Amino acid sequence: MLCLEKIFLKHIKVNIPAGLNLYQFNEREDQPFTTIIPNNSTVMLHRLSLDQDLPHQQASGGEHGKRHILHTGPKHSARLRELVVDLRPPEFICSLSSVLPRETKDTVASILKGLNKPQKQAMKKVLLSKDYTLIVGMPGTGKTTTICTLVRILYTCGFSVLLTSYTHSAVDNILLKLKRFRVGFLRLGQAQKVHPEILSYTEESARRRGVHSLSQLEQLYNKELVVGTTCMGIKHPIFTRRRFDFCIVDEASQISQPICIGPLFYAKRFVLVGDHQQLPPIVQNQEARSRGMDESLFKRLELHSEAVVQLNVQYRMNRQIMSLSNSLMYEGRLECGSERTATALITLPFLPSVLSELGSHSAADPQQDLAWIQATILPSNPVCFLDCSVAGCKPSDIGVIAPYRQQLRTISGLLQSSVFTGVEVNTVDRYQGRDKSLIILSFVRSTTAEGTLGELLKDWRRLNVAITRAKNKLLMVGSATTLQRYSPVEKLLNHLQQENMISFIKYKNCCHSE
């Protein structure tokens, strides 16, 4: 048992009994090692405060933060420093034959069969990398499937993989797919934050099954080739004992540089997956943003185009919805994966009766103009006004997005009826990585020319996420006069007008447009 003798400002003095394993780090070999304490000894241990226990948490921000991390880490961080701080170009192997074990080639070929061309290019780029690869996952292009397939291939080849992301849900989404393919893994993290179907793969579960001694724990930590945790989870003891062949960071374009760098210390090569045209790292401090803290490591390293693979074949949006993002962000590079995806329309089984009822209302009260509803409710039209309890669209297929929380509260308050149970009302950030058959996007703002512009609607990346969540139908509601003052939305409105995909309907001083 350790006996605490004295606490100092930066150190703790403890007495270590004879025979205890003490884990240390060999700078020359760049590996952890175990020492057996021969006699009772008193040693000084460095005291870690809450903001010092992880390398990535030591950084206060910006370039200084990255340099501090990489200069104070173990010896192998010198190479990482060259790549991240000095921006040394990444290197690649010439041939796959030197990477793939001969006995795995048939299995790898079988795994690759289900992928499209860009996804296969991503697999090849990662296997040939000596340093790192960046995978740009445009909206709906199967980013999670690509990561899962990559892990399966690396696992088949005998490579160890550290799988990480900023959120627990992102890590578990990938692990759930791996579970279906019977890929073994160890999930680190608190049980209450882990998906229920992953709990049996956690350290806590293993301990309940009989892992008690230090040797058994050591065996558990080294048993699985694949280990999953969040970027903040690298304080776990396993990282004093293991380094991995690959580290894969999902949602990398949403993670600040100090946090993203943390897991990279523990791998020989790394793969960053993201899209800097979508949500950036959240940095609330204006000065920090002005000094570059909202630039992700993914964005920083993208200047080396030889390391970048773009996933541009998407299976989410129909052709008309996809064209919005293509015009706004991707310069036409985004493609539909199939004609079925391109022509998909929302299904409204009760549409005839709804149109008949609207016609009856118009006939009974000619002053009440409902023609715009009749025109826009048609699945083939770019504008839609939909009452889910009447037209037959499932509430769970409908999502409402708004940039401001007060607007969300107002909309939620109007949807208290049981017929709307299942309609999801949320911010753009909450919809990242997800989709719905029908998305209603409220721009909220309607101000005079002299009014102050809100910051949220100025962000191209958030607008891109918002307009790429719908699979079959997208409705955007707002004041065109106001929205034209925001550069991103103005460009979007101009594109819609040019393509004849927009209907400006003046109805109680509002415009309903897609």
Side-chain angles (χ1 to χ4, degrees), residues 5-43:
E5 291 196 357
K6 195 169 183 180
I7 300 177
F8 299 91
L9 181 62
K10 294 186 177 180
H11 296 82
I12 298 174
K13 188 175 182 180
V14 297
N15 182 269
I16 302 178
L20 185 72
N21 286 340
L22 180 65
Y23 288 91
Q24 302 183 53
F25 194 86
N26 185 327
E27 292 286 349
R28 168 180 274 183
E29 300 295 331
D30 200 28
Q31 290 290 337
F33 68 94
T34 303
T35 297
I36 305 296
I37 303 299
N39 303 301
N40 283 10
S41 304
T42 298
V43 299

mmCIF file of all heavy atoms in Angstrom, residues 5-43:
data_model
loop_
_atom_site.group_PDB
_atom_site.id
_atom_site.type_symbol
_atom_site.label_atom_id
_atom_site.label_comp_id
_atom_site.label_asym_id
_atom_site.label_seq_id
_atom_site.Cartn_x
_atom_site.Cartn_y
_atom_site.Cartn_z
ATOM 1 N N GLU A 5 3.239 10.708 2.512
ATOM 2 C CA GLU A 5 4.023 11.309 3.584
ATOM 3 C C GLU A 5 3.840 12.824 3.656
ATOM 4 O O GLU A 5 3.665 13.393 4.719
ATOM 5 C CB GLU A 5 5.514 10.978 3.404
ATOM 6 C CG GLU A 5 5.809 9.499 3.637
ATOM 7 C CD GLU A 5 7.295 9.252 3.837
ATOM 8 O OE1 GLU A 5 8.084 10.214 3.727
ATOM 9 O OE2 GLU A 5 7.664 8.099 4.116
ATOM 10 N N LYS A 6 3.876 13.482 2.489
ATOM 11 C CA LYS A 6 3.775 14.940 2.520
ATOM 12 C C LYS A 6 3.331 15.455 1.164
ATOM 13 O O LYS A 6 3.668 14.887 0.129
ATOM 14 C CB LYS A 6 5.125 15.564 2.899
ATOM 15 C CG LYS A 6 5.015 17.037 3.303
ATOM 16 C CD LYS A 6 6.318 17.529 3.929
ATOM 17 C CE LYS A 6 6.164 18.983 4.390
ATOM 18 N NZ LYS A 6 7.410 19.485 5.013
ATOM 19 N N ILE A 7 2.532 16.524 1.159
ATOM 20 C CA ILE A 7 2.069 17.147 -0.073
ATOM 21 C C ILE A 7 2.749 18.493 -0.244
ATOM 22 O O ILE A 7 2.710 19.340 0.659
ATOM 23 C CB ILE A 7 0.536 17.333 -0.054
ATOM 24 C CG1 ILE A 7 -0.168 15.980 0.087
ATOM 25 C CG2 ILE A 7 0.055 18.049 -1.311
ATOM 26 C CD1 ILE A 7 -1.673 16.097 0.185
ATOM 27 N N PHE A 8 3.406 18.662 -1.389
ATOM 28 C CA PHE A 8 4.042 19.938 -1.726
ATOM 29 C C PHE A 8 3.231 20.612 -2.827
ATOM 30 O O PHE A 8 2.260 20.056 -3.346
ATOM 31 C CB PHE A 8 5.482 19.710 -2.198
ATOM 32 C CG PHE A 8 6.364 19.075 -1.153
ATOM 33 C CD1 PHE A 8 6.474 17.689 -1.085
ATOM 34 C CD2 PHE A 8 7.055 19.846 -0.233
ATOM 35 C CE1 PHE A 8 7.271 17.094 -0.131
ATOM 36 C CE2 PHE A 8 7.858 19.253 0.728
ATOM 37 C CZ PHE A 8 7.968 17.876 0.782
ATOM 38 N N LEU A 9 3.639 21.811 -3.210
ATOM 39 C CA LEU A 9 2.903 22.548 -4.230
ATOM 40 C C LEU A 9 2.885 21.797 -5.548
ATOM 41 O O LEU A 9 1.858 21.713 -6.221
ATOM 42 C CB LEU A 9 3.528 23.943 -4.424
ATOM 43 C CG LEU A 9 2.843 24.846 -5.452
ATOM 44 C CD1 LEU A 9 1.409 25.133 -5.011
ATOM 45 C CD2 LEU A 9 3.611 26.151 -5.643
ATOM 46 N N LYS A 10 4.037 21.238 -5.949
ATOM 47 C CA LYS A 10 4.128 20.572 -7.249
ATOM 48 C C LYS A 10 4.458 19.095 -7.145
ATOM 49 O O LYS A 10 4.560 18.415 -8.159
ATOM 50 C CB LYS A 10 5.181 21.263 -8.129
ATOM 51 C CG LYS A 10 4.801 22.689 -8.518
ATOM 52 C CD LYS A 10 5.808 23.268 -9.501
ATOM 53 C CE LYS A 10 5.398 24.664 -9.957
ATOM 54 N NZ LYS A 10 6.362 25.240 -10.923
ATOM 55 N N HIS A 11 4.671 18.572 -5.961
ATOM 56 C CA HIS A 11 5.034 17.174 -5.809
ATOM 57 C C HIS A 11 4.301 16.544 -4.627
ATOM 58 O O HIS A 11 3.817 17.245 -3.728
ATOM 59 C CB HIS A 11 6.551 17.016 -5.595
ATOM 60 C CG HIS A 11 7.381 17.455 -6.759
ATOM 61 N ND1 HIS A 11 7.708 18.774 -6.983
ATOM 62 C CD2 HIS A 11 7.918 16.754 -7.781
ATOM 63 C CE1 HIS A 11 8.433 18.871 -8.089
ATOM 64 N NE2 HIS A 11 8.567 17.667 -8.593
ATOM 65 N N ILE A 12 4.233 15.217 -4.649
ATOM 66 C CA ILE A 12 3.676 14.450 -3.534
ATOM 67 C C ILE A 12 4.738 13.452 -3.095
ATOM 68 O O ILE A 12 5.321 12.739 -3.925
ATOM 69 C CB ILE A 12 2.400 13.703 -3.955
ATOM 70 C CG1 ILE A 12 1.320 14.695 -4.385
ATOM 71 C CG2 ILE A 12 1.881 12.843 -2.809
ATOM 72 C CD1 ILE A 12 0.089 14.027 -4.958
ATOM 73 N N LYS A 13 5.016 13.390 -1.815
ATOM 74 C CA LYS A 13 6.018 12.471 -1.281
ATOM 75 C C LYS A 13 5.308 11.227 -0.760
ATOM 76 O O LYS A 13 4.424 11.307 0.093
ATOM 77 C CB LYS A 13 6.798 13.146 -0.142
ATOM 78 C CG LYS A 13 7.995 12.345 0.358
ATOM 79 C CD LYS A 13 8.753 13.169 1.393
ATOM 80 C CE LYS A 13 9.993 12.410 1.873
ATOM 81 N NZ LYS A 13 10.731 13.208 2.889
ATOM 82 N N VAL A 14 5.643 10.051 -1.336
ATOM 83 C CA VAL A 14 4.988 8.808 -0.939
ATOM 84 C C VAL A 14 6.021 7.744 -0.607
ATOM 85 O O VAL A 14 7.149 7.764 -1.107
ATOM 86 C CB VAL A 14 4.051 8.273 -2.040
ATOM 87 C CG1 VAL A 14 2.927 9.246 -2.309
ATOM 88 C CG2 VAL A 14 4.816 7.983 -3.324
ATOM 89 N N ASN A 15 5.635 6.796 0.244
ATOM 90 C CA ASN A 15 6.475 5.649 0.566
ATOM 91 C C ASN A 15 5.952 4.444 -0.193
ATOM 92 O O ASN A 15 4.773 4.096 -0.103
ATOM 93 C CB ASN A 15 6.448 5.364 2.076
ATOM 94 C CG ASN A 15 7.368 4.208 2.438
ATOM 95 O OD1 ASN A 15 6.942 3.060 2.466
ATOM 96 N ND2 ASN A 15 8.629 4.529 2.714
ATOM 97 N N ILE A 16 6.822 3.806 -1.006
ATOM 98 C CA ILE A 16 6.430 2.658 -1.839
ATOM 99 C C ILE A 16 7.014 1.383 -1.235
ATOM 100 O O ILE A 16 8.222 1.272 -1.070
ATOM 101 C CB ILE A 16 6.938 2.830 -3.283
ATOM 102 C CG1 ILE A 16 6.382 4.131 -3.875
ATOM 103 C CG2 ILE A 16 6.555 1.644 -4.143
ATOM 104 C CD1 ILE A 16 6.864 4.410 -5.285
ATOM 105 N N PRO A 17 6.162 0.415 -0.919
ATOM 106 C CA PRO A 17 6.652 -0.831 -0.323
ATOM 107 C C PRO A 17 7.422 -1.686 -1.316
ATOM 108 O O PRO A 17 7.247 -1.564 -2.526
ATOM 109 C CB PRO A 17 5.369 -1.533 0.117
ATOM 110 C CG PRO A 17 4.312 -0.993 -0.791
ATOM 111 C CD PRO A 17 4.703 0.434 -1.065
ATOM 112 N N ALA A 18 8.262 -2.563 -0.814
ATOM 113 C CA ALA A 18 9.048 -3.461 -1.656
ATOM 114 C C ALA A 18 8.142 -4.385 -2.444
ATOM 115 O O ALA A 18 7.089 -4.800 -1.977
ATOM 116 C CB ALA A 18 10.011 -4.280 -0.781
ATOM 117 N N GLY A 19 8.573 -4.709 -3.671
ATOM 118 C CA GLY A 19 7.859 -5.667 -4.500
ATOM 119 C C GLY A 19 6.771 -5.083 -5.370
ATOM 120 O O GLY A 19 6.139 -5.806 -6.139
ATOM 121 N N LEU A 20 6.538 -3.785 -5.254
ATOM 122 C CA LEU A 20 5.467 -3.170 -6.043
ATOM 123 C C LEU A 20 5.961 -2.844 -7.448
ATOM 124 O O LEU A 20 7.084 -2.380 -7.629
ATOM 125 C CB LEU A 20 4.967 -1.898 -5.353
ATOM 126 C CG LEU A 20 3.763 -1.218 -6.010
ATOM 127 C CD1 LEU A 20 2.505 -2.043 -5.772
ATOM 128 C CD2 LEU A 20 3.567 0.192 -5.461
ATOM 129 N N ASN A 21 5.124 -3.108 -8.463
ATOM 130 C CA ASN A 21 5.451 -2.717 -9.839
ATOM 131 C C ASN A 21 5.328 -1.211 -9.978
ATOM 132 O O ASN A 21 4.300 -0.633 -9.632
ATOM 133 C CB ASN A 21 4.501 -3.383 -10.835
ATOM 134 C CG ASN A 21 4.808 -4.858 -10.996
ATOM 135 O OD1 ASN A 21 5.896 -5.298 -10.678
ATOM 136 N ND2 ASN A 21 3.839 -5.613 -11.484
ATOM 137 N N LEU A 22 6.356 -0.561 -10.495
ATOM 138 C CA LEU A 22 6.310 0.878 -10.748
ATOM 139 C C LEU A 22 6.495 1.108 -12.236
ATOM 140 O O LEU A 22 7.499 0.694 -12.822
ATOM 141 C CB LEU A 22 7.428 1.596 -9.968
ATOM 142 C CG LEU A 22 7.487 3.123 -10.143
ATOM 143 C CD1 LEU A 22 6.234 3.758 -9.566
ATOM 144 C CD2 LEU A 22 8.725 3.704 -9.476
ATOM 145 N N TYR A 23 5.516 1.729 -12.882
ATOM 146 C CA TYR A 23 5.568 1.970 -14.313
ATOM 147 C C TYR A 23 6.284 3.292 -14.576
ATOM 148 O O TYR A 23 5.963 4.319 -13.965
ATOM 149 C CB TYR A 23 4.166 2.002 -14.917
ATOM 150 C CG TYR A 23 3.546 0.639 -14.967
ATOM 151 C CD1 TYR A 23 2.777 0.172 -13.908
ATOM 152 C CD2 TYR A 23 3.762 -0.202 -16.053
ATOM 153 C CE1 TYR A 23 2.221 -1.090 -13.951
ATOM 154 C CE2 TYR A 23 3.197 -1.464 -16.105
ATOM 155 C CZ TYR A 23 2.430 -1.903 -15.046
ATOM 156 O OH TYR A 23 1.877 -3.152 -15.087
ATOM 157 N N GLN A 24 7.287 3.234 -15.462
ATOM 158 C CA GLN A 24 8.058 4.415 -15.811
ATOM 159 C C GLN A 24 8.173 4.496 -17.336
ATOM 160 O O GLN A 24 7.700 3.622 -18.055
ATOM 161 C CB GLN A 24 9.446 4.343 -15.172
ATOM 162 C CG GLN A 24 9.391 4.223 -13.640
ATOM 163 C CD GLN A 24 10.764 4.234 -13.036
ATOM 164 O OE1 GLN A 24 11.555 5.122 -13.304
ATOM 165 N NE2 GLN A 24 11.066 3.229 -12.226
ATOM 166 N N PHE A 25 8.834 5.552 -17.828
ATOM 167 C CA PHE A 25 8.964 5.729 -19.278
ATOM 168 C C PHE A 25 10.436 5.752 -19.669
ATOM 169 O O PHE A 25 11.239 6.485 -19.093
ATOM 170 C CB PHE A 25 8.304 7.034 -19.729
ATOM 171 C CG PHE A 25 8.105 7.093 -21.213
ATOM 172 C CD1 PHE A 25 6.962 6.543 -21.785
ATOM 173 C CD2 PHE A 25 9.055 7.667 -22.051
ATOM 174 C CE1 PHE A 25 6.765 6.571 -23.146
ATOM 175 C CE2 PHE A 25 8.875 7.695 -23.414
ATOM 176 C CZ PHE A 25 7.721 7.158 -23.965
ATOM 177 N N ASN A 26 10.795 4.893 -20.640
ATOM 178 C CA ASN A 26 12.157 4.808 -21.142
ATOM 179 C C ASN A 26 12.305 5.773 -22.312
ATOM 180 O O ASN A 26 11.771 5.542 -23.384
ATOM 181 C CB ASN A 26 12.445 3.364 -21.595
ATOM 182 C CG ASN A 26 13.904 3.170 -22.016
ATOM 183 O OD1 ASN A 26 14.522 4.076 -22.546
ATOM 184 N ND2 ASN A 26 14.423 1.968 -21.761
ATOM 185 N N GLU A 27 13.011 6.883 -22.109
ATOM 186 C CA GLU A 27 13.145 7.886 -23.156
ATOM 187 C C GLU A 27 13.914 7.345 -24.361
ATOM 188 O O GLU A 27 13.602 7.651 -25.509
ATOM 189 C CB GLU A 27 13.870 9.130 -22.599
ATOM 190 C CG GLU A 27 13.060 9.895 -21.564
ATOM 191 C CD GLU A 27 11.931 10.673 -22.213
ATOM 192 O OE1 GLU A 27 11.930 10.779 -23.451
ATOM 193 O OE2 GLU A 27 11.066 11.170 -21.484
ATOM 194 N N ARG A 28 14.938 6.520 -24.105
ATOM 195 C CA ARG A 28 15.762 5.998 -25.219
ATOM 196 C C ARG A 28 14.957 5.073 -26.111
ATOM 197 O O ARG A 28 14.976 5.181 -27.330
ATOM 198 C CB ARG A 28 16.982 5.266 -24.657
ATOM 199 C CG ARG A 28 17.721 4.446 -25.724
ATOM 200 C CD ARG A 28 18.919 3.720 -25.159
ATOM 201 N NE ARG A 28 20.085 4.590 -25.162
ATOM 202 C CZ ARG A 28 21.299 4.177 -24.763
ATOM 203 N NH1 ARG A 28 21.462 2.965 -24.304
ATOM 204 N NH2 ARG A 28 22.331 4.992 -24.807
ATOM 205 N N GLU A 29 14.189 4.152 -25.502
ATOM 206 C CA GLU A 29 13.410 3.174 -26.266
ATOM 207 C C GLU A 29 12.042 3.706 -26.669
ATOM 208 O O GLU A 29 11.331 3.075 -27.441
ATOM 209 C CB GLU A 29 13.231 1.882 -25.453
ATOM 210 C CG GLU A 29 14.535 1.191 -25.073
ATOM 211 C CD GLU A 29 15.281 0.688 -26.295
ATOM 212 O OE1 GLU A 29 14.621 0.366 -27.308
ATOM 213 O OE2 GLU A 29 16.522 0.614 -26.238
ATOM 214 N N ASP A 30 11.692 4.868 -26.089
ATOM 215 C CA ASP A 30 10.402 5.477 -26.426
ATOM 216 C C ASP A 30 9.237 4.564 -26.049
ATOM 217 O O ASP A 30 8.238 4.479 -26.738
ATOM 218 C CB ASP A 30 10.358 5.783 -27.930
ATOM 219 C CG ASP A 30 9.308 6.828 -28.260
ATOM 220 O OD1 ASP A 30 9.008 7.657 -27.389
ATOM 221 O OD2 ASP A 30 8.788 6.784 -29.383
ATOM 222 N N GLN A 31 9.388 3.834 -24.924
ATOM 223 C CA GLN A 31 8.362 2.883 -24.489
ATOM 224 C C GLN A 31 8.283 2.886 -22.961
ATOM 225 O O GLN A 31 9.273 3.152 -22.273
ATOM 226 C CB GLN A 31 8.699 1.461 -24.963
ATOM 227 C CG GLN A 31 8.561 1.246 -26.455
ATOM 228 C CD GLN A 31 7.117 1.259 -26.892
ATOM 229 O OE1 GLN A 31 6.211 1.019 -26.106
ATOM 230 N NE2 GLN A 31 6.884 1.555 -28.159
ATOM 231 N N PRO A 32 7.098 2.566 -22.421
ATOM 232 C CA PRO A 32 6.990 2.396 -20.972
ATOM 233 C C PRO A 32 7.649 1.097 -20.532
ATOM 234 O O PRO A 32 7.793 0.168 -21.316
ATOM 235 C CB PRO A 32 5.473 2.354 -20.739
ATOM 236 C CG PRO A 32 4.906 1.878 -22.025
ATOM 237 C CD PRO A 32 5.815 2.378 -23.105
ATOM 238 N N PHE A 33 8.081 1.014 -19.271
ATOM 239 C CA PHE A 33 8.638 -0.230 -18.753
ATOM 240 C C PHE A 33 8.253 -0.358 -17.276
ATOM 241 O O PHE A 33 7.777 0.592 -16.649
ATOM 242 C CB PHE A 33 10.162 -0.277 -18.930
ATOM 243 C CG PHE A 33 10.917 0.716 -18.070
ATOM 244 C CD1 PHE A 33 11.425 0.344 -16.835
ATOM 245 C CD2 PHE A 33 11.097 2.022 -18.511
ATOM 246 C CE1 PHE A 33 12.114 1.254 -16.056
ATOM 247 C CE2 PHE A 33 11.793 2.934 -17.732
ATOM 248 C CZ PHE A 33 12.306 2.559 -16.496
ATOM 249 N N THR A 34 8.445 -1.552 -16.732
ATOM 250 C CA THR A 34 8.061 -1.826 -15.347
ATOM 251 C C THR A 34 9.309 -2.032 -14.509
ATOM 252 O O THR A 34 10.232 -2.747 -14.897
ATOM 253 C CB THR A 34 7.186 -3.093 -15.268
ATOM 254 O OG1 THR A 34 6.046 -2.898 -16.106
ATOM 255 C CG2 THR A 34 6.725 -3.349 -13.845
ATOM 256 N N THR A 35 9.333 -1.407 -13.341
ATOM 257 C CA THR A 35 10.416 -1.600 -12.383
ATOM 258 C C THR A 35 9.844 -2.228 -11.116
ATOM 259 O O THR A 35 8.797 -1.802 -10.629
ATOM 260 C CB THR A 35 11.079 -0.251 -12.022
ATOM 261 O OG1 THR A 35 11.658 0.295 -13.185
ATOM 262 C CG2 THR A 35 12.168 -0.452 -10.972
ATOM 263 N N ILE A 36 10.521 -3.241 -10.575
ATOM 264 C CA ILE A 36 10.126 -3.823 -9.292
ATOM 265 C C ILE A 36 10.917 -3.125 -8.188
ATOM 266 O O ILE A 36 12.147 -3.108 -8.201
ATOM 267 C CB ILE A 36 10.407 -5.337 -9.239
ATOM 268 C CG1 ILE A 36 9.724 -6.042 -10.417
ATOM 269 C CG2 ILE A 36 9.951 -5.921 -7.904
ATOM 270 C CD1 ILE A 36 8.220 -5.944 -10.387
ATOM 271 N N ILE A 37 10.212 -2.513 -7.240
ATOM 272 C CA ILE A 37 10.882 -1.817 -6.145
ATOM 273 C C ILE A 37 11.499 -2.859 -5.203
ATOM 274 O O ILE A 37 10.790 -3.671 -4.595
ATOM 275 C CB ILE A 37 9.885 -0.940 -5.367
ATOM 276 C CG1 ILE A 37 9.215 0.065 -6.312
ATOM 277 C CG2 ILE A 37 10.579 -0.203 -4.219
ATOM 278 C CD1 ILE A 37 10.168 1.031 -6.974
ATOM 279 N N PRO A 38 12.843 -2.895 -5.081
ATOM 280 C CA PRO A 38 13.490 -3.944 -4.275
ATOM 281 C C PRO A 38 13.312 -3.731 -2.774
ATOM 282 O O PRO A 38 13.175 -4.671 -2.010
ATOM 283 C CB PRO A 38 14.957 -3.833 -4.683
ATOM 284 C CG PRO A 38 15.113 -2.407 -5.128
ATOM 285 C CD PRO A 38 13.808 -1.994 -5.718
ATOM 286 N N ASN A 39 13.356 -2.494 -2.321
ATOM 287 C CA ASN A 39 13.239 -2.193 -0.896
ATOM 288 C C ASN A 39 12.233 -1.070 -0.703
ATOM 289 O O ASN A 39 11.863 -0.374 -1.651
ATOM 290 C CB ASN A 39 14.602 -1.748 -0.333
ATOM 291 C CG ASN A 39 15.678 -2.795 -0.555
ATOM 292 O OD1 ASN A 39 15.547 -3.916 -0.101
ATOM 293 N ND2 ASN A 39 16.734 -2.410 -1.278
ATOM 294 N N ASN A 40 11.803 -0.896 0.547
ATOM 295 C CA ASN A 40 10.928 0.235 0.817
ATOM 296 C C ASN A 40 11.624 1.525 0.387
ATOM 297 O O ASN A 40 12.788 1.743 0.719
ATOM 298 C CB ASN A 40 10.588 0.303 2.313
ATOM 299 C CG ASN A 40 9.554 -0.741 2.676
ATOM 300 O OD1 ASN A 40 9.244 -1.607 1.874
ATOM 301 N ND2 ASN A 40 9.020 -0.651 3.888
ATOM 302 N N SER A 41 10.941 2.348 -0.375
ATOM 303 C CA SER A 41 11.569 3.547 -0.903
ATOM 304 C C SER A 41 10.631 4.734 -0.743
ATOM 305 O O SER A 41 9.411 4.596 -0.762
ATOM 306 C CB SER A 41 11.904 3.376 -2.401
ATOM 307 O OG SER A 41 12.706 2.232 -2.587
ATOM 308 N N THR A 42 11.227 5.901 -0.601
ATOM 309 C CA THR A 42 10.457 7.139 -0.587
ATOM 310 C C THR A 42 10.768 7.895 -1.873
ATOM 311 O O THR A 42 11.940 8.118 -2.194
ATOM 312 C CB THR A 42 10.833 8.010 0.623
ATOM 313 O OG1 THR A 42 10.519 7.292 1.818
ATOM 314 C CG2 THR A 42 10.052 9.317 0.606
ATOM 315 N N VAL A 43 9.749 8.212 -2.637
ATOM 316 C CA VAL A 43 9.968 8.880 -3.916
ATOM 317 C C VAL A 43 9.086 10.118 -3.995
ATOM 318 O O VAL A 43 8.106 10.270 -3.265
ATOM 319 C CB VAL A 43 9.645 7.955 -5.107
ATOM 320 C CG1 VAL A 43 10.528 6.733 -5.115
ATOM 321 C CG2 VAL A 43 8.174 7.563 -5.105
#
